[in-house]
Amino acid sequence: MTTPALAPSPAPANDRSPLAERIVDTLIHRIGKDERAARKHDWLEATILTLRDEIIDKWMASTRAAHAAQAKRVYYLSLEFLIGRLLRDALSNLGRNNEVGRALASLGIDLVEIEEIEPDAALGNGGLGRLAACFMESLATLDLPAYGYGIRYVNGMFRQRLDDGWQVELPENWLSHGNPWEFERRESAYFIGFGGEVTGNDTGIVHWKPAEAIEAIAYDTPVVGWRGKRVNTLRLWSARAFDPIHLDAFNAGDHIGALAGQARAESLVRVLYPNDSNASGQELRLRQEYFFSSASIQDIVRRHVQYFGDVRTLADKAAIQLNDTHPAVSVAELMRLLIDQHDLGFDEAWEVTRKTFGYTNHTLLPEALESWPLPLFERLLPRHMQLVYAINAKVLRQARKAPGVDDAAISAISLIDEGGERRVRMANLAFVGSHSVNGVAALHTDLMKQTVFADLHRLYPDRINNKTNGITPRRWLMECNPRLTALIRDAIGPEFCDNTALIKGLESFADDSSFQERLAEVKRSNKVALAKYIKDSMGLRLDPDALFDVQIKRIHEYKRQLLNIIETVALYDQIRSHPERDWTPRVKLFAGKAASSYHNAKLIIKLANDVARRINGDPLVGGLLKVVFIPNYNVSLAERIIPAADLSEQISTAGMEASGTGNMKFALNGALTIGTLDGANIEIKDRVGDDNIFIFGLDADEVAAKRANGYAPREVIEGSRELSQAVNAIASGVFSPDDPQRYKGLVDGLYGGDWFMVAADFDAYAAAQRRVDARWADQPAWRASAVRNVANVGWFSSDRTISEYARDIWGVM
């Protein structure tokens, strides 16, 4: 379906600004459209290209300055970069919103309308990718030369549709009409090999002859820092076959087979996180990770040799940060390049490698600490398998000499898991191959030392450090919540825009009734806007005066959307049973995607939608409780929801959420947190104060003790009237009359073990929700807490986080 033509009412040509004329010139000469025939997407592209021309000048100046200073560069390797829409981000950071808005208005075009049709780049899944995007923006803001490296996914994370409440995964075709922000770099192309064999001779020279070769092609996107001070580069890799078509096969009639090589290459960049529940999915995932890691490391080494000559000085001029375990194979790849192509000895290459890499761990979940079946790894990457064995031998020999290291510790330290199927442990490879290993919240870092890396920590006691995550206040306050930004500016002045720590000055207004009223007006206007979006897109009417209770994030059992849903069912029962009570009108908002192979997560999405259908259709509670699951959660949707939230649900099982960044975004936008003592919730609590956050439930030590000492969830469920009634209602098919057995597996999981402590924390969670009701009933107290949240979370800026990385790990500040 084509977009209908706009009906602009342009200003006379002689009344247009020079910027408006440049936009029209771009429209005509680079897009080939007359302004009378142009559609919204044409104006969008013309605006981006016009702005991009200005950005290029700053981009090149930044690059020249780094070369002239012979500056050390930061290289951030991440399988995800959840960058979202870029036009509004660039306009805001350059301070050009008003100017561009006026120029387009003189052409009869609404800037907001065309911003809304920019595709949301589908390059990530959740917090990991959004963190990487925040970090790239802060690196530019702090004037630090940096490259981000990732994959230019054609479809990326799937587009989520809900069919009768079931998640359906569809391709996210964000590149279907091209990407006006990017530049193809044909000169930056690299040979990526797979399989084959490794041979050696008497002199020790090793040669890897891959059986398959793919070409990695670079696409660069400029990343603009605040005030346009610096523009850095996000380099994403696309793949193509060296022989995209075998003409002999094509001419012989094998038209499909002739294109198999290109199809195989394109599969590497087709989607983010292919389903790895089967052998072919696992192989594709490993191929993806090596493909982008190899291209990135080759590019970094090539650039260093070009500008500095001696590869031995790599660590002096390059700091490579591994964002989780996905790029961990980079350690072996750098060793391969240094030894096989640059003739360094093993020990010298290892010293260069270890000094160059830093590794950020983002999870304690065993399934996320990637490991690969040894036969698969060796078949795809035979030379790297040799190097992994050699690295392992070096590390284990060192460990044997350390005091107190027994066979159990050796087994835990080893890069090869010998328990059952032999597997290559990528987290261990990243750990031993880096000079710095950091967690992303204080609790997470402590648990790393005590659990997954306990033996490695004893062997390398100075390696683990903490760098609590942060968010960019430009996107997550100034852009997504301009009304609140203006209110803060009026109260404390504009300086906080350049130094987020200064937002602390807002605390003096917490008990100011006039300021509270203005804050309430801002929040309500944001809620009205979100309610309109939901009405237009889903047909559901919401009361903006109700409490907006929000849980938006990746759907996973440890994040405990199930706990929220069960408490919603219990609340529904209580409202119906006690209509005489003064209930707080509440809207429960959910959004998030489940991994395509994650059965229970997809079932939780269906349960949320079944519960929503039943509750929203019940006239007895219609004015008191609504439940909404908004489909296709992405950055742009988060930018709508977060400014409108009153309550932020951060209710993960304690000890399982590394940090979280959604908790920071909500607090910065004036939402109060209900949460466990997990991840960065602890540090948020310390800063906003115990009275301005709703903490409940077991802490990490108590969770561990329950698991270790025997936990009987059946007794807990049967001992809680509200919990047992809600669970029984779900299990009996009250919310799934078409399939009464639909949720039997979910409920059996609660009775049978309750690994995620849903039942164990239910009563405490329900009690915390009633404390929320009481605070909401006292609106001055609620608003005061909201102000104190905004004022005290400036520390969670990604500028602060990146400053700590730069000073403590990378040595660039």
Side-chain angles (χ1 to χ4, degrees):
M1 185 175 68
T2 58
T3 305
L6 295 174
S9 300
N14 57 359
D15 290 340
R16 295 175 181 176
S17 67
L19 176 58
E21 291 296 339
R22 289 202 302 274
I23 294 172
V24 171
D25 184 71
T26 300
L27 180 74
I28 294 170
H29 294 105
R30 297 169 71 178
I31 299 174
K33 282 288 186 74
D34 181 275
E35 57 183 296
R36 293 179 181 83
R39 304 296 202 263
K40 287 183 182 180
H41 62 264
D42 298 316
W43 287 109
L44 171 65
E45 187 171 359
T47 303
I48 290 173
L49 291 175
T50 303
L51 186 66
R52 194 185 73 168
D53 288 346
E54 300 177 25
I55 292 171
I56 290 170
D57 293 335
K58 296 178 182 292
W59 197 10
M60 291 184 174
S62 298
T63 302
R64 291 190 200 103
H67 289 331
Q70 295 191 318
K72 185 176 185 178
R73 283 185 173 86
V74 174
Y75 297 104
Y76 198 80
L77 273 61
S78 179
L79 201 60
E80 299 183 39
F81 282 96
L82 201 55
I83 55 178
R85 294 168 175 161
L86 294 180
L87 176 57
R88 186 178 298 158
D89 202 41
L91 288 172
S92 177
N93 278 8
L94 292 171
R96 303 293 299 281
N97 299 72
N98 293 336
E99 182 186 2
V100 172
R102 287 193 300 268
L104 287 170
S106 73
L107 301 169
I109 306 301
D110 186 335
L111 173 60
V112 174
E113 284 188 7
I114 65 169
E115 285 176 338
E116 289 294 322
I117 65 171
E118 182 181 6
D120 200 319
L123 301 173
N125 176 32
L128 182 80
R130 187 52 234 170
L131 180 79
C134 285
F135 279 7
M136 286 301 299
E137 195 264 5
S138 280
L139 281 160
T141 292
L142 295 174
D143 200 18
L144 298 174
Y147 274 73
Y149 282 105
I151 293 179
R152 182 180 180 265
Y153 301 104
V154 176
N155 298 115
M157 194 63 182
F158 60 84
R159 177 166 53 89
Q160 181 193 58
R161 190 179 73 201
L162 297 177
D163 285 358
D164 191 29
W166 292 102
Q167 172 177 290
V168 176
E169 299 99 31
L170 301 170
E172 183 64 89
N173 298 315
W174 76 283
L175 280 175
S176 58
H177 298 294
N179 178 9
W181 288 107
E182 70 184 8
F183 295 83
E184 181 182 359
R185 303 302 192 193
R186 298 181 185 180
E187 70 281 6
S188 296
Y190 297 95
F191 175 101
I192 311 295
F194 295 99
E197 60 180 351
V198 181
T199 59
N201 58 27
D202 295 340
T203 64
I205 295 176
V206 174
H207 178 65
W208 175 30
K209 184 180 180 181
E212 178 187 357
I214 288 171
E215 190 175 24
I217 308 296
Y219 285 79
D220 288 354
T221 297
V223 179
V224 182
W226 178 238
R227 308 279 190 203
K229 186 174 185 180
R230 178 175 194 86
V231 180
N232 280 329
T233 302
L234 175 61
R235 175 159 287 186
L236 303 175
W237 299 105
S238 188
R240 70 183 178 203
F242 281 96
D243 296 312
I245 182 170
H246 293 286
L247 281 176
D248 289 347
F250 192 89
N251 292 332
D254 185 6
H255 302 145
I256 303 299
L259 300 171
Q262 182 63 20
R264 188 167 173 79
E266 289 178 354
S267 69
L268 290 172
V269 298
R270 180 58 59 181
V271 298
L272 169 70
Y273 297 148
N275 185 341
D276 59 357
S277 60
N278 53 60
S280 61
Q282 289 181 26
E283 178 173 335
L284 178 56
R285 177 81 169 264
L286 178 55
R287 284 165 60 88
Q288 278 186 327
E289 293 182 3
Y290 176 67
F291 163 77
F292 111 85
S293 296
S294 176
S296 303
I297 298 301
Q298 288 186 66
D299 196 44
I300 293 166
V301 171
R302 186 270 309 162
R303 184 178 296 108
H304 178 79
V305 172
Q306 178 182 345
Y307 290 107
F308 303 108
D310 189 354
V311 75
R312 291 171 177 81
T313 64
L314 181 65
D316 297 329
K317 295 298 182 181
I320 306 176
Q321 193 69 28
L322 305 176
N323 192 29
D324 218 9
T325 56
H326 308 127
V329 72
S330 299
V331 172
E333 175 68 358
L334 181 55
M335 288 290 288
R336 180 184 75 85
L337 296 176
L338 294 177
I339 295 170
D340 296 357
Q341 295 187 11
H342 293 275
D343 301 323
L344 271 63
F346 182 90
D347 288 341
E348 188 177 17
W350 183 241
E351 188 67 9
V352 171
T353 296
R354 191 187 59 79
K355 289 181 177 179
T356 303
F357 280 110
Y359 162 47
T360 301
N361 173 272
H362 283 278
T363 182
L364 304 176
L365 297 177
E367 66 268 24
L369 294 172
E370 289 185 312
S371 64
W372 300 108
L374 194 146
L376 169 64
F377 194 95
E378 188 161 24
R379 175 169 58 82
L380 281 182
L381 304 170
R383 176 56 176 148
H384 299 77
M385 190 72 252
Q386 291 180 343
L387 291 166
V388 168
Y389 274 126
I391 294 167
N392 200 39
K394 183 178 182 69
V395 171
L396 294 185
R397 290 190 189 108
Q398 178 187 356
R400 277 297 184 193
K401 297 175 183 177
V405 175
D406 56 15
D407 287 345
I410 288 291
S411 178
I413 290 168
S414 177
L415 307 188
I416 309 299
D417 184 357
E418 302 283 356
E421 179 189 34
R422 300 178 75 210
R423 301 178 74 90
V424 182
R425 292 168 164 157
M426 304 309 288
N428 287 29
L429 176 62
F431 191 110
V432 302
S434 301
H435 69 278
S436 166
V437 178
N438 70 279
V440 291
L443 174 64
H444 170 235
T445 300
D446 288 343
L447 290 174
M448 283 170 56
K449 297 175 182 179
Q450 299 167 24
T451 58
V452 293
F453 295 132
D455 293 287
L456 281 165
H457 174 57
R458 281 189 286 272
L459 184 61
Y460 305 108
D462 299 324
R463 196 162 294 186
I464 294 179
N465 61 93
N466 180 59
K467 299 289 174 282
T468 297
N469 282 343
I471 58 171
T472 168
R474 271 74 63 181
R475 184 179 285 261
W476 295 110
L477 175 62
M478 299 176 200
E479 294 171 37
C480 75
N481 204 341
R483 296 183 182 94
L484 179 57
T485 303
L487 179 62
I488 297 169
R489 186 185 297 114
D490 290 345
I492 64 173
E495 291 80 8
F496 80 97
C497 295
D498 297 289
N499 181 358
T500 312
L502 297 178
I503 204 170
K504 176 75 173 174
L506 196 67
E507 190 165 24
S508 63
F509 292 86
D511 297 312
D512 183 320
S513 60
S514 176
F515 185 84
Q516 285 185 7
E517 288 294 334
R518 294 198 298 275
L519 179 71
E521 290 170 5
V522 167
K523 179 65 73 173
R524 192 179 190 282
S525 66
N526 291 335
K527 292 166 74 173
V528 167
L530 178 60
K532 182 180 186 303
Y533 171 81
I534 291 172
K535 173 63 170 63
D536 292 344
S537 60
M538 301 180 67
L540 182 64
R541 295 183 183 276
L542 303 180
D543 178 6
D545 293 315
L547 186 154
F548 278 24
D549 177 351
V550 179
Q551 188 173 21
I552 51 173
K553 55 184 73 234
R554 179 166 50 98
I555 309 297
H556 196 293
E557 288 171 283
Y558 89 82
K559 294 181 182 288
R560 298 203 297 190
Q561 286 91 354
L562 182 58
L563 174 60
N564 192 346
I565 296 167
I566 293 173
E567 200 278 330
T568 301
V569 171
L571 177 61
Y572 174 54
D573 286 341
Q574 288 293 306
I575 292 173
R576 291 189 300 170
S577 300
H578 297 283
E580 77 284 358
R581 294 181 183 172
D582 188 16
W583 296 103
T584 296
R586 188 183 289 247
V587 174
K588 287 276 193 176
L589 284 158
F590 297 89
K593 296 176 181 178
S596 57
S597 60
Y598 195 166
H599 172 76
N600 275 5
K602 296 174 86 167
L603 201 58
I604 288 169
I605 292 175
K606 175 59 174 170
L607 175 60
N609 281 280
D610 279 349
V611 169
R613 184 179 62 248
R614 178 63 179 268
I615 292 176
N616 297 344
D618 189 338
L620 292 177
V621 299
L624 295 174
L625 184 61
K626 294 284 188 185
V627 181
V628 188
F629 193 104
I630 309 175
N632 202 38
Y633 181 56
N634 56 20
V635 174
S636 299
L637 186 55
E639 291 171 334
R640 291 181 184 275
I641 296 173
I642 289 171
D646 295 305
L647 187 68
S648 163
E649 297 270 354
Q650 309 297 330
I651 60 175
S652 54
T653 309
M656 301 192 76
E657 182 73 87
S659 172
T661 52
N663 45 9
M664 305 167 191
K665 296 164 191 167
F666 281 108
L668 185 60
N669 282 272
L672 276 58
T673 301
I674 182 169
T676 50
L677 288 171
D678 197 26
N681 287 354
I682 298 170
E683 291 158 274
I684 291 175
K685 178 183 78 72
D686 291 343
R687 282 168 173 79
V688 305
D690 293 355
D691 293 337
N692 302 302
I693 190 170
F694 303 96
I695 296 295
F696 72 92
L698 303 172
D699 63 24
D701 290 340
E702 290 167 337
V703 168
K706 270 193 177 293
R707 289 172 176 165
N709 299 330
Y711 161 51
R714 181 175 293 276
E715 294 178 9
V716 174
I717 294 170
E718 292 175 352
S720 170
R721 183 178 179 185
E722 289 188 23
L723 174 58
S724 61
Q725 288 179 346
V727 168
N728 289 337
I730 293 169
S732 65
V734 168
F735 299 95
S736 55
D738 58 317
D739 181 5
Q741 298 297 306
R742 180 177 295 150
Y743 301 113
K744 182 177 185 301
L746 278 181
V747 173
D748 287 349
L750 297 180
Y751 281 102
D754 189 25
W755 180 256
F756 300 100
M757 300 290 156
V758 170
D761 273 349
F762 176 84
D763 283 345
Y765 176 59
Q769 290 286 18
R770 302 295 74 78
R771 296 201 306 273
V772 169
D773 291 341
R775 182 73 59 84
W776 183 260
D778 183 353
Q779 278 295 295
W782 183 279
R783 293 166 185 172
S785 289
V787 175
R788 291 189 171 96
N789 269 264
V790 177
N792 286 290
V793 295
W795 185 83
F796 294 98
S797 165
S798 50
D799 296 350
R800 183 269 312 160
T801 310
I802 288 297
S803 295
E804 292 179 3
Y805 275 95
R807 181 189 66 233
D808 302 338
I809 299 176
W810 303 329
V812 294
M813 281 186 80

